[in-house]
Amino acid sequence: MAIKIGDLCSDFEAMNQHGESIRLSDYKNSKNVVLFFYPKDETAGCTKEVCSFRDSYEDFVSLGSEVIGISSDSHGSHQNFASKHNLNFHILSDPKGLIRKSFGVPSRFFGLIPGRVTYIIDKEGRVKDIFENLFEAELHIRNAMDVLRKME
């Protein structure tokens, strides 16, 4: 069952590009979380998306938020991707797609392409907004900023 606006998120744990274990609950009661699922490291749209999040990271921090990206790529792929593009936020490896599945992130084109979905999660762990758009990756950043500003 897909997570909806207003739902409380279940906790999850995954490894980031630095080999650290990150839990959603690490941010409970302290930061909002911009959690985005993207299809694959080093593809044109995904690179554009993560670099846009990177370039806007300080703006997210100033709004009391942490940014976390998730794809099914391996830890090694994430290490290379993060290093090459100087990513300043966590990207988590979900190789079996369990986190993606728990959020109900859809796949597109007959299940061949994992969806691109961004969740805005408040400090209590409740979903405040969900934005899905596979082809216009940069809209995810603008939408997240708009929602976070309204939450202030």
Side-chain angles (χ1 to χ4, degrees):
M1 176 177 248
I3 289 181
K4 302 178 296 303
I5 293 173
D7 286 354
L8 201 56
C9 292
S10 297
D11 198 17
F12 62 79
E13 183 175 7
M15 187 183 304
N16 73 5
Q17 69 268 32
H18 305 295
E20 302 164 330
S21 183
I22 303 298
R23 299 178 66 92
L24 181 60
S25 60
D26 293 342
Y27 303 98
K28 193 164 185 177
N29 299 317
S30 65
K31 293 184 180 183
N32 300 311
V33 174
V34 177
L35 179 69
F36 71 98
F37 290 87
Y38 65 99
K40 185 149 185 61
D41 292 348
E42 295 299 350
T43 58
C46 295
T47 300
K48 190 174 199 175
E49 180 180 24
V50 299
C51 288
S52 293
F53 272 112
R54 176 203 63 208
D55 295 345
S56 299
Y57 182 72
E58 292 305 319
D59 295 327
F60 284 109
V61 169
S62 73
L63 291 168
S65 303
E66 185 57 59
V67 174
I68 300 173
I70 299 179
S71 82
S72 59
D73 292 301
S74 70
H75 171 253
S77 176
H78 281 346
Q79 281 181 310
N80 294 334
F81 189 51
S83 178
K84 180 177 179 180
H85 299 288
N86 299 311
L87 301 184
N88 49 2
F89 56 88
H90 301 294
I91 53 173
L92 306 182
S93 184
D94 182 26
K96 295 181 181 176
L98 299 177
I99 302 169
R100 180 178 292 276
K101 185 181 239 183
S102 74
F103 274 76
V105 176
S107 292
R108 299 291 178 223
F109 300 103
F110 309 104
L112 298 175
I113 299 176
R116 183 185 315 279
V117 181
T118 299
Y119 297 83
I120 308 302
I121 302 165
D122 70 12
K123 293 174 184 174
E124 286 72 44
R126 197 163 298 282
V127 176
K128 301 304 274 184
D129 193 65
I130 301 170
F131 184 74
E132 179 182 0
N133 187 310
L134 187 59
F135 298 108
E136 297 183 69
E138 291 175 316
L139 288 178
H140 288 258
I141 289 82
R142 273 197 307 250
N143 183 72
M145 287 287 190
D146 290 345
V147 170
L148 289 168
R149 284 185 187 109
K150 290 176 186 171
M151 288 170 57
E152 282 192 306

